[in-house]
Amino acid sequence: MAPQRDDARKPVAPRHARPAPLAESPAVQRRTGRPMGRVRIEDVAAEAGVSMKTVSRVLNDEPNVSDATRERVRAVVERLQYRPHPSARVLAGRRSYLVAMLYDNPSSNYLMEVELGVLDACQAQHYNLMLAPVTYDAKDIVSKVEALVLQSRLDGVVLTPPITDDAALLARLDELGIPWSSISPREANRRVGVVVDECSAVVEMIAHLAGLGHRRIAHIKGHPAHGASEWRLAGYLDGLARAGIECDPALVVDGGFSYDSGFEATNRLLELPDPPTAIFAANDDMAAGAIGAICERGLSVPRHVSVCGFDDTPIARHIYPSLTTVRQPTREMGRLAGLELLKEIRGQGQGGLVTVPYTLQLRRSTGPRP
Amino acid sequence: MAPQRDDARKPVAPRHARPAPLAESPAVQRRTGRPMGRVRIEDVAAEAGVSMKTVSRVLNDEPNVSDATRERVRAVVERLQYRPHPSARVLAGRRSYLVAMLYDNPSSNYLMEVELGVLDACQAQHYNLMLAPVTYDAKDIVSKVEALVLQSRLDGVVLTPPITDDAALLARLDELGIPWSSISPREANRRVGVVVDECSAVVEMIAHLAGLGHRRIAHIKGHPAHGASEWRLAGYLDGLARAGIECDPALVVDGGFSYDSGFEATNRLLELPDPPTAIFAANDDMAAGAIGAICERGLSVPRHVSVCGFDDTPIARHIYPSLTTVRQPTREMGRLAGLELLKEIRGQGQGGLVTVPYTLQLRRSTGPRP
DNA sequence: GTGAAAGCGCTAACAT
DNA sequence: ATGTTAGCGCTTTCAC
């Protein structure tokens, strides 16, 4: 007589008491007569009359399932409202379904928006997003990130400026075979990620100011570690040249992307013997600082001095006067960076470097030369 | 002859190829002669000469381990840089080590800060935080949250205003046995969470304005669904009474916590036959809108009208003139709410309702009555 | 105070 | 095209 093969398949009593007295899978009710809190892949398989593995194949879009079976399984999944247990997938599988976004400055409006975009992309493909603050100038950044990647079994990382330009880090990630995607990387060679043509945007902005009659146009530079600072400076210089304005080096001053740095830089500019009539700050926060400094001297914007920024963060609409700035689609950039990364991770085509469009937002902080 | 018991314990060849050619546990090297990417609890146990379960006890601060053993295991954990695999813990255990923060408005500065605070608390205790956007006026909010809680096996939730005042939701969470913690709940009875004495803060603010000579002080109310709107209105009325000022109902206007609502409300106030000389807006965004509306009419702050807000979000420092406001320690509030929740979850004492202090931030947007 | 064995719910490898 | 089996790394139960 053959061994009792049916018995071997019979589910044993579960170890833990089932917690919730809620929705219940018919398959489980039939089997156990007990209420339970969660439908499992086994229940779906039983209900659809296939093996667990077939259900797994359908769930993961793997080949070798007939269309009919696929449809039947999908219907049961839907009816039972089955969702795979994330931890079980991670533990059993090769993937962690986890990507991290590496960033330096934790509380900027810019990164916040980028984060939301990356989250959009991840959620759509049932990946999780982990936020990983990294001090970009720390000496051990490479080993810190390596520990994180290994510890959390990351499937990939999204890199934000300026971390995205750390050559040693990129090399190590490549060695580890961890896919990565860059947001606004300084160099575009062989990259996956997303960029904006910032230089052209600034050229347009300078043309706008020149069109208003301004000749003495100052620039407050961004933080030197960021590629954006470089592009925005390049656009400023190019824009001046195209407008036939000779650049006065005294009108180009250092900044660091913060409100305070914009405030101080503007004070220096206004104390010049021949001060500017317009200021292009490398981001909105510094532009806000510029407006603060100008107003504090009893001058007014744009009557005495025009001011413009870059990024179009919420503050641009909320200060008085509202800020002329360059809008980059920050959230969309996060989403696209996430999408390209997931392409690489899931091996569904090569990720690439996507260029997204900017828009000039003309508001009240720029006006005719006094 | 006894069965080959040693054989039974001998590790079998692992199913997956080990990915990373990096750090290696001595125990594993000895056992397998292969490099591997990760130390496991088994390696720690072998190295410390105890069972897996004992290591597990030490890791989870469970009783029934001698101090000597505990120390020895801790040392090995440290030396091997062992970290438990999160998914394995979740899958095997009863807990998910996951809490969610439920919120309505995804992009407010306020919630952003709260989030960072909750994250502080969670990370310190190796819990994960999940962000859960919930439209607070959706009809099916209870079932939505229920699905989330069951699906993700949440160990607990942090509730933010105004969701934290949804009685049906709270009742359901109690039924499910899910611990929750409230940030600024409307009613304080039997709650776990954190509150600020907002009413007293506003009373002080009104006293500040009255001290500057203002008698016609307007109030732009917050969104009616939020308890905060109620307290801030109550503080306004109480503050007026204490200053011996009779309340003019025409000076109390509706708002919704947004910049635009503050802007519009202020336009209405300034068109009054006898307009106010000071405006207390129920939050900073509306105060920024008030300043915008005042400036747009060619008036100046605080020379013609004083303005003050509530929250001390970053915009308060970044607008001109800088905003007099009430500072609530938002991030700390998030942290404390998280801490109290984790107390409940981990059964280490009862969570309670913590009151945190506010501070008046006097800046440039308030001045003497014109 | 400590350990052995049995799963948690899923997927990889290898049948068929 | 589909099923079977053996784990993933940890915690639980229960025996000692």
Side-chain angles (χ1 to χ4, degrees):
Chain A
M1 186 183 161
Q4 304 185 344
R5 300 188 54 204
D6 279 336
D7 253 335
R9 286 209 57 192
K10 205 169 274 174
V12 293
R15 184 176 40 147
H16 310 309
R18 291 289 177 178
L22 289 168
E24 169 128 5
S25 125
V28 175
Q29 280 181 338
R30 215 170 297 134
R31 253 183 23 232
T32 64
R34 276 179 306 87
M36 65 168 297
R38 200 185 165 103
V39 182
R40 293 163 318 193
I41 199 171
E42 188 186 340
D43 307 324
V44 176
E47 193 71 8
V50 298
S51 73
M52 280 165 54
K53 182 57 200 172
T54 298
V55 178
S56 174
R57 286 195 178 95
V58 174
L59 259 27
N60 295 293
D61 289 320
E62 286 171 27
N64 292 332
V65 181
S66 74
D67 286 353
T69 309
R70 207 176 278 277
E71 260 332 295
R72 191 152 36 88
V73 170
R74 287 224 171 96
V76 174
V77 165
E78 182 53 32
R79 184 154 53 74
L80 264 39
Q81 280 292 297
Y82 167 72
R83 300 285 175 274
H85 191 304
S87 297
R89 292 181 89 158
V90 170
L91 188 56
R94 191 188 282 107
R95 296 186 288 277
S96 68
Y97 299 94
L98 219 207
V99 311
M101 176 170 133
L102 269 45
Y103 60 90
D104 179 37
N105 177 352
S107 56
S108 87
N109 281 312
Y110 166 79
L111 282 173
M112 182 108 281
E113 281 295 310
V114 171
E115 175 194 331
L116 290 174
V118 177
L119 203 57
D120 288 342
C122 289
Q123 290 185 336
Q125 305 194 30
H126 303 290
Y127 268 68
N128 290 93
L129 178 65
M130 173 174 191
L131 267 19
V134 173
T135 311
Y136 100 93
D137 54 359
K139 277 289 153 278
D140 54 349
I141 174 169
V142 174
S143 59
K144 279 270 172 57
V145 172
E146 184 172 322
L148 175 76
V149 162
L150 263 27
Q151 180 55 45
S152 302
R153 307 233 164 149
L154 297 182
D155 285 343
V157 291
V158 173
L159 302 166
T160 57
I163 298 167
T164 200
D165 295 314
D166 185 314
L169 178 60
L170 302 182
R172 191 74 190 108
L173 288 172
D174 284 340
E175 276 173 43
L176 292 169
I178 306 293
W180 45 272
S181 174
S182 291
I183 293 182
S184 297
R186 206 183 270 264
E187 291 167 27
N189 337 339
R190 303 173 304 101
R191 290 271 190 140
V192 173
V194 55
V195 288
V196 173
D197 185 356
E198 303 201 1
C199 187
S200 300
V202 176
V203 167
E204 279 190 40
M205 181 65 90
I206 299 299
H208 162 68
L209 293 173
L212 288 166
H214 295 278
R215 313 311 278 174
R216 290 195 61 72
I217 302 173
H219 175 49
I220 306 176
K221 293 196 281 185
H223 193 289
H226 289 245
S229 307
E230 207 168 277
W231 303 321
R232 293 170 197 182
L233 173 61
Y236 165 79
L237 295 173
D238 191 13
L240 287 185
R242 294 190 191 209
I245 301 173
E246 200 185 343
C247 175
D248 176 353
L251 293 185
V252 179
V253 295
D254 288 338
F257 279 147
S258 70
Y259 176 90
D260 290 334
S261 72
F263 187 92
E264 287 155 19
T266 303
N267 276 333
R268 273 174 278 148
L269 288 169
L270 296 180
E271 277 157 11
L272 251 31
D274 186 7
T277 63
I279 298 175
F280 163 57
N283 77 347
D284 288 352
D285 282 355
M286 293 198 298
I291 290 178
I294 293 165
C295 292
E296 197 136 277
R297 291 173 171 251
L299 302 173
S300 113
V301 177
R303 189 163 34 214
H304 301 105
V305 188
S306 286
V307 173
C308 57
F310 201 110
D311 285 346
D312 199 25
T313 51
I315 200 175
R317 281 191 60 240
H318 292 170
I319 54 178
Y320 185 85
S322 58
L323 193 65
T324 290
T325 188
V326 175
R327 169 168 182 69
Q328 47 177 340
T330 326
R331 182 165 181 164
E332 180 66 4
M333 290 169 72
R335 202 178 68 85
L336 290 169
L339 246 34
E340 295 303 307
L341 177 65
L342 290 173
K343 259 193 214 165
E344 291 266 304
I345 289 175
R346 308 182 61 178
Q348 299 174 346
Q350 290 267 321
L353 193 67
V354 184
T355 300
V356 295
Y358 58 84
T359 6
L360 239 56
Q361 285 285 353
L362 302 183
R363 296 207 181 91
R364 314 288 284 275
S365 66
T366 48
R369 172 169 68 156
Chain B
M1 185 179 162
Q4 304 185 345
R5 301 187 54 204
D6 278 337
D7 250 336
R9 287 209 56 193
K10 205 168 274 172
V12 293
R15 182 175 44 147
H16 309 310
R18 292 286 175 179
L22 289 168
E24 171 129 2
S25 127
V28 176
Q29 280 182 338
R30 215 171 296 134
R31 252 183 26 231
T32 65
R34 276 178 307 88
M36 65 167 299
R38 200 183 166 103
V39 182
R40 292 164 320 194
I41 198 172
E42 188 186 339
D43 307 323
V44 177
E47 195 70 8
V50 297
S51 72
M52 281 165 55
K53 180 56 202 171
T54 296
V55 178
S56 175
R57 285 194 179 94
V58 173
L59 258 28
N60 295 292
D61 289 320
E62 286 170 29
N64 293 331
V65 182
S66 72
D67 287 353
T69 310
R70 204 176 281 276
E71 259 332 295
R72 190 151 38 89
V73 170
R74 288 224 171 95
V76 174
V77 165
E78 182 52 34
R79 182 154 54 74
L80 262 41
Q81 280 292 298
Y82 167 72
R83 299 286 175 275
H85 192 304
S87 296
R89 291 183 92 160
V90 171
L91 186 57
R94 192 187 279 107
R95 296 186 288 274
S96 67
Y97 299 93
L98 219 206
V99 310
M101 175 170 134
L102 268 46
Y103 60 90
D104 179 37
N105 177 351
S107 56
S108 87
N109 281 311
Y110 166 79
L111 281 173
M112 182 109 282
E113 283 293 311
V114 171
E115 175 193 331
L116 290 175
V118 178
L119 204 57
D120 288 342
C122 290
Q123 289 185 335
Q125 304 195 30
H126 304 290
Y127 268 69
N128 289 84
L129 178 65
M130 173 174 190
L131 266 20
V134 172
T135 311
Y136 100 94
D137 55 359
K139 277 289 152 279
D140 55 349
I141 173 170
V142 175
S143 59
K144 280 269 172 54
V145 172
E146 185 171 319
L148 175 76
V149 162
L150 263 26
Q151 180 54 47
S152 303
R153 307 233 163 145
L154 297 182
D155 286 343
V157 292
V158 173
L159 302 166
T160 57
I163 299 166
T164 201
D165 295 314
D166 186 314
L169 178 60
L170 302 182
R172 191 75 191 107
L173 288 172
D174 285 339
E175 276 174 43
L176 293 169
I178 306 293
W180 45 271
S181 174
S182 291
I183 293 182
S184 297
R186 208 184 269 265
E187 291 168 27
N189 337 337
R190 303 176 303 103
R191 291 272 189 137
V192 173
V194 54
V195 288
V196 173
D197 185 356
E198 304 201 0
C199 186
S200 300
V202 176
V203 168
E204 279 188 40
M205 181 65 90
I206 300 299
H208 162 68
L209 294 172
L212 290 166
H214 296 279
R215 313 311 279 175
R216 289 195 64 71
I217 302 172
H219 176 49
I220 306 175
K221 293 195 281 183
H223 193 290
H226 289 245
S229 307
E230 210 168 274
W231 304 321
R232 293 170 196 181
L233 173 60
Y236 164 78
L237 296 173
D238 191 14
L240 288 186
R242 292 189 194 211
I245 302 171
E246 201 185 343
C247 174
D248 178 352
L251 293 185
V252 179
V253 296
D254 288 338
F257 280 147
S258 70
Y259 176 91
D260 290 334
S261 71
F263 187 92
E264 287 155 20
T266 302
N267 276 333
R268 275 175 277 145
L269 287 170
L270 296 179
E271 278 156 11
L272 250 29
D274 185 7
T277 63
I279 298 175
F280 162 57
N283 77 346
D284 289 351
D285 282 355
M286 292 198 297
I291 290 177
I294 292 165
C295 291
E296 197 136 276
R297 290 173 171 250
L299 302 174
S300 111
V301 177
R303 189 163 36 217
H304 301 103
V305 188
S306 286
V307 173
C308 56
F310 201 110
D311 284 347
D312 199 24
T313 50
I315 199 174
R317 281 190 59 240
H318 293 170
I319 55 178
Y320 185 86
S322 58
L323 193 65
T324 291
T325 189
V326 175
R327 170 167 182 68
Q328 47 177 341
T330 326
R331 182 163 182 167
E332 179 65 4
M333 290 170 71
R335 203 179 67 84
L336 290 169
L339 247 33
E340 295 303 308
L341 177 65
L342 290 173
K343 260 193 214 164
E344 290 265 304
I345 289 174
R346 307 182 63 178
Q348 300 174 345
Q350 290 268 318
L353 192 68
V354 184
T355 300
V356 295
Y358 58 84
T359 5
L360 239 57
Q361 286 284 354
L362 302 183
R363 296 204 182 93
R364 315 287 285 274
S365 67
T366 48
R369 173 170 67 156

